[in-house]
Short mmCIF file of all heavy atoms in Angstrom, two decimals:
data_model
loop_
_atom_site.label_atom_id
_atom_site.label_comp_id
_atom_site.label_asym_id
_atom_site.label_seq_id
_atom_site.Cartn_x
_atom_site.Cartn_y
_atom_site.Cartn_z
N ARG A 15 -5.16 6.21 -7.75
CA ARG A 15 -4.16 6.31 -8.60
C ARG A 15 -3.47 5.07 -9.17
O ARG A 15 -3.11 4.87 -10.27
CB ARG A 15 -2.87 7.20 -7.96
CG ARG A 15 -3.33 8.68 -8.08
CD ARG A 15 -2.44 9.54 -6.99
NE ARG A 15 -2.73 10.91 -7.12
CZ ARG A 15 -3.77 11.56 -6.69
NH1 ARG A 15 -4.72 10.78 -6.05
NH2 ARG A 15 -3.89 12.90 -6.96
N VAL A 16 -3.57 3.99 -8.30
CA VAL A 16 -3.12 2.74 -8.62
C VAL A 16 -4.20 2.12 -9.67
O VAL A 16 -3.81 1.44 -10.62
CB VAL A 16 -2.97 1.77 -7.44
CG1 VAL A 16 -2.78 0.37 -7.78
CG2 VAL A 16 -1.86 2.26 -6.48
N ALA A 17 -5.51 2.41 -9.36
CA ALA A 17 -6.47 1.91 -10.30
C ALA A 17 -6.25 2.53 -11.66
O ALA A 17 -6.35 1.75 -12.71
CB ALA A 17 -7.83 2.23 -9.63
N ARG A 18 -6.05 3.81 -11.71
CA ARG A 18 -5.81 4.53 -13.00
C ARG A 18 -4.60 3.99 -13.67
O ARG A 18 -4.71 3.66 -14.90
CB ARG A 18 -5.80 6.00 -12.83
CG ARG A 18 -5.73 6.86 -13.99
CD ARG A 18 -5.69 8.28 -13.77
NE ARG A 18 -6.91 8.74 -13.05
CZ ARG A 18 -6.75 9.10 -11.84
NH1 ARG A 18 -5.53 9.23 -11.17
NH2 ARG A 18 -7.81 9.48 -11.03
N GLU A 19 -3.53 3.80 -12.88
CA GLU A 19 -2.30 3.30 -13.53
C GLU A 19 -2.47 1.96 -14.14
O GLU A 19 -2.05 1.61 -15.26
CB GLU A 19 -1.13 3.29 -12.55
CG GLU A 19 0.19 2.88 -12.95
CD GLU A 19 0.82 3.80 -14.04
OE1 GLU A 19 0.58 5.09 -13.99
OE2 GLU A 19 1.65 3.33 -14.82
N ALA A 20 -3.05 1.02 -13.40
CA ALA A 20 -3.31 -0.38 -13.89
C ALA A 20 -4.17 -0.37 -15.05
O ALA A 20 -3.95 -1.17 -16.08
CB ALA A 20 -3.83 -1.21 -12.65
N ALA A 21 -5.34 0.41 -14.96
CA ALA A 21 -6.27 0.34 -16.15
C ALA A 21 -5.54 0.86 -17.41
O ALA A 21 -5.76 0.37 -18.52
CB ALA A 21 -7.42 1.22 -15.86
N GLU A 22 -4.72 1.93 -17.23
CA GLU A 22 -4.04 2.49 -18.44
C GLU A 22 -3.00 1.67 -18.98
O GLU A 22 -2.63 1.70 -20.21
CB GLU A 22 -3.49 3.82 -18.10
CG GLU A 22 -4.50 4.99 -17.85
CD GLU A 22 -3.96 6.25 -17.42
OE1 GLU A 22 -2.57 6.35 -17.11
OE2 GLU A 22 -4.57 7.18 -17.33
N ARG A 23 -2.59 0.64 -18.29
CA ARG A 23 -1.69 -0.42 -18.77
C ARG A 23 -2.38 -1.62 -19.36
O ARG A 23 -1.94 -2.70 -19.77
CB ARG A 23 -0.66 -0.83 -17.75
CG ARG A 23 0.14 0.18 -17.29
CD ARG A 23 1.37 -0.44 -16.50
NE ARG A 23 2.06 0.61 -15.68
CZ ARG A 23 3.18 0.32 -14.94
NH1 ARG A 23 3.77 -0.85 -15.02
NH2 ARG A 23 3.69 1.20 -14.14
N GLY A 24 -3.72 -1.58 -19.29
CA GLY A 24 -4.57 -2.70 -19.91
C GLY A 24 -4.96 -3.78 -19.00
O GLY A 24 -5.49 -4.74 -19.39
N HIS A 25 -4.88 -3.61 -17.62
CA HIS A 25 -5.12 -4.53 -16.71
C HIS A 25 -6.73 -4.27 -16.36
O HIS A 25 -7.22 -3.17 -16.44
CB HIS A 25 -4.41 -4.37 -15.35
CG HIS A 25 -2.94 -4.66 -15.62
ND1 HIS A 25 -2.38 -5.96 -15.79
CD2 HIS A 25 -1.86 -3.89 -15.56
CE1 HIS A 25 -1.17 -5.86 -16.08
NE2 HIS A 25 -0.73 -4.63 -15.86
N GLU A 26 -7.31 -5.39 -16.02
CA GLU A 26 -8.76 -5.31 -15.55
C GLU A 26 -8.73 -5.00 -14.04
O GLU A 26 -8.03 -5.58 -13.12
CB GLU A 26 -9.30 -6.61 -15.79
CG GLU A 26 -10.87 -6.68 -15.38
CD GLU A 26 -11.48 -8.22 -15.62
OE1 GLU A 26 -10.85 -9.01 -16.30
OE2 GLU A 26 -12.62 -8.35 -15.09
N VAL A 27 -9.59 -3.92 -13.78
CA VAL A 27 -9.51 -3.38 -12.47
C VAL A 27 -10.82 -3.69 -11.76
O VAL A 27 -11.90 -3.44 -12.19
CB VAL A 27 -9.17 -1.79 -12.40
CG1 VAL A 27 -9.41 -1.23 -11.11
CG2 VAL A 27 -7.84 -1.74 -12.95
N ILE A 28 -10.77 -4.13 -10.50
CA ILE A 28 -11.89 -4.29 -9.49
C ILE A 28 -11.55 -3.29 -8.42
O ILE A 28 -10.62 -3.46 -7.65
CB ILE A 28 -11.92 -5.64 -8.87
CG1 ILE A 28 -12.03 -6.77 -10.00
CG2 ILE A 28 -13.17 -5.73 -8.06
CD1 ILE A 28 -11.98 -8.17 -9.51
N ALA A 29 -12.36 -2.21 -8.35
CA ALA A 29 -12.23 -1.20 -7.41
C ALA A 29 -12.98 -1.56 -6.17
O ALA A 29 -14.29 -1.47 -6.28
CB ALA A 29 -12.65 0.18 -8.01
N VAL A 30 -12.36 -1.92 -5.13
CA VAL A 30 -13.05 -2.27 -3.85
C VAL A 30 -12.97 -1.07 -2.77
O VAL A 30 -11.91 -0.71 -2.43
CB VAL A 30 -12.35 -3.53 -3.25
CG1 VAL A 30 -13.11 -4.04 -2.09
CG2 VAL A 30 -12.26 -4.62 -4.32
N THR A 31 -14.14 -0.78 -2.43
CA THR A 31 -14.25 0.36 -1.45
C THR A 31 -15.39 0.23 -0.56
O THR A 31 -16.39 -0.48 -0.86
CB THR A 31 -14.30 1.70 -2.18
OG1 THR A 31 -14.54 2.83 -1.27
CG2 THR A 31 -15.56 1.65 -3.00
N ARG A 32 -15.21 0.67 0.78
CA ARG A 32 -16.25 0.60 1.68
C ARG A 32 -17.42 1.46 1.27
O ARG A 32 -18.61 1.11 1.45
CB ARG A 32 -15.83 1.07 3.16
CG ARG A 32 -16.70 0.94 4.26
CD ARG A 32 -16.14 1.51 5.50
NE ARG A 32 -16.97 1.29 6.61
CZ ARG A 32 -16.73 1.57 7.92
NH1 ARG A 32 -15.54 2.08 8.17
NH2 ARG A 32 -17.55 1.31 8.80
N ASP A 33 -17.04 2.55 0.64
CA ASP A 33 -18.17 3.55 0.19
C ASP A 33 -17.97 3.72 -1.33
O ASP A 33 -17.18 4.66 -1.71
CB ASP A 33 -18.05 4.87 0.94
CG ASP A 33 -19.14 5.88 0.59
OD1 ASP A 33 -20.03 5.57 -0.25
OD2 ASP A 33 -19.15 6.98 1.20
N PRO A 34 -18.70 3.14 -2.30
CA PRO A 34 -18.51 3.27 -3.66
C PRO A 34 -18.62 4.74 -4.15
O PRO A 34 -18.02 5.11 -5.11
CB PRO A 34 -19.67 2.35 -4.22
CG PRO A 34 -19.86 1.35 -3.23
CD PRO A 34 -19.67 2.10 -1.86
N SER A 35 -19.41 5.54 -3.42
CA SER A 35 -19.50 6.89 -3.76
C SER A 35 -18.25 7.74 -3.71
O SER A 35 -18.04 8.76 -4.23
CB SER A 35 -20.62 7.61 -2.96
OG SER A 35 -20.19 7.84 -1.61
N ARG A 36 -17.23 7.24 -2.96
CA ARG A 36 -15.87 7.86 -2.78
C ARG A 36 -15.02 7.65 -4.05
O ARG A 36 -13.95 8.31 -4.17
CB ARG A 36 -15.18 7.45 -1.52
CG ARG A 36 -15.87 7.90 -0.24
CD ARG A 36 -14.82 7.72 0.76
NE ARG A 36 -13.62 8.46 0.64
CZ ARG A 36 -12.35 8.11 1.21
NH1 ARG A 36 -12.32 7.03 1.89
NH2 ARG A 36 -11.37 8.96 0.94
N PHE A 37 -15.32 6.63 -4.86
CA PHE A 37 -14.61 6.39 -6.01
C PHE A 37 -14.95 7.49 -7.05
O PHE A 37 -15.68 7.24 -8.05
CB PHE A 37 -14.84 5.07 -6.66
CG PHE A 37 -13.83 4.50 -7.55
CD1 PHE A 37 -12.52 4.29 -7.17
CD2 PHE A 37 -14.24 4.24 -8.83
CE1 PHE A 37 -11.57 3.89 -8.09
CE2 PHE A 37 -13.18 3.77 -9.77
CZ PHE A 37 -11.99 3.47 -9.37
N ARG A 38 -14.40 8.64 -6.79
CA ARG A 38 -14.81 9.88 -7.63
C ARG A 38 -14.18 10.10 -8.94
O ARG A 38 -14.75 10.71 -9.67
CB ARG A 38 -14.51 11.15 -6.77
CG ARG A 38 -15.33 11.25 -5.41
CD ARG A 38 -15.01 12.55 -4.70
NE ARG A 38 -13.59 12.62 -4.36
CZ ARG A 38 -13.08 12.18 -3.09
NH1 ARG A 38 -14.01 11.58 -2.28
NH2 ARG A 38 -11.86 12.30 -2.77
N SER A 39 -13.05 9.40 -9.30
CA SER A 39 -12.57 9.29 -10.57
C SER A 39 -12.56 7.95 -11.15
O SER A 39 -11.77 7.28 -11.20
CB SER A 39 -11.00 9.79 -10.43
OG SER A 39 -11.09 11.08 -9.74
N PRO A 40 -13.78 7.79 -11.72
CA PRO A 40 -14.00 6.38 -12.29
C PRO A 40 -12.97 6.07 -13.30
O PRO A 40 -12.47 6.88 -14.18
CB PRO A 40 -15.33 6.35 -12.88
CG PRO A 40 -16.13 7.59 -12.12
CD PRO A 40 -14.99 8.41 -11.78
N VAL A 41 -12.50 4.79 -13.30
CA VAL A 41 -11.62 4.29 -14.42
C VAL A 41 -12.45 3.47 -15.32
O VAL A 41 -13.17 2.71 -14.98
CB VAL A 41 -10.46 3.29 -13.61
CG1 VAL A 41 -9.59 2.69 -14.89
CG2 VAL A 41 -9.74 4.13 -12.74
N ASP A 42 -12.27 3.92 -16.62
CA ASP A 42 -13.06 3.18 -17.67
C ASP A 42 -12.89 1.70 -17.63
O ASP A 42 -11.75 1.24 -17.56
CB ASP A 42 -12.60 3.58 -19.15
CG ASP A 42 -12.92 5.10 -19.36
OD1 ASP A 42 -13.80 5.65 -18.71
OD2 ASP A 42 -12.23 5.71 -20.22
N GLY A 43 -13.98 1.09 -17.43
CA GLY A 43 -13.94 -0.47 -17.36
C GLY A 43 -13.84 -1.10 -16.06
O GLY A 43 -14.03 -2.27 -15.97
#
Side-chain angles (χ1 to χ4, degrees):
R15 285 162 174 78
V16 173
R18 188 178 302 114
E19 181 70 27
E22 288 178 353
R23 297 197 199 185
H25 298 291
E26 182 180 346
V27 172
I28 304 171
V30 184
T31 177
R32 184 178 184 180
D33 181 3
S35 68
R36 288 196 62 206
F37 195 62
R38 294 184 295 270
S39 300
V41 174
D42 289 342

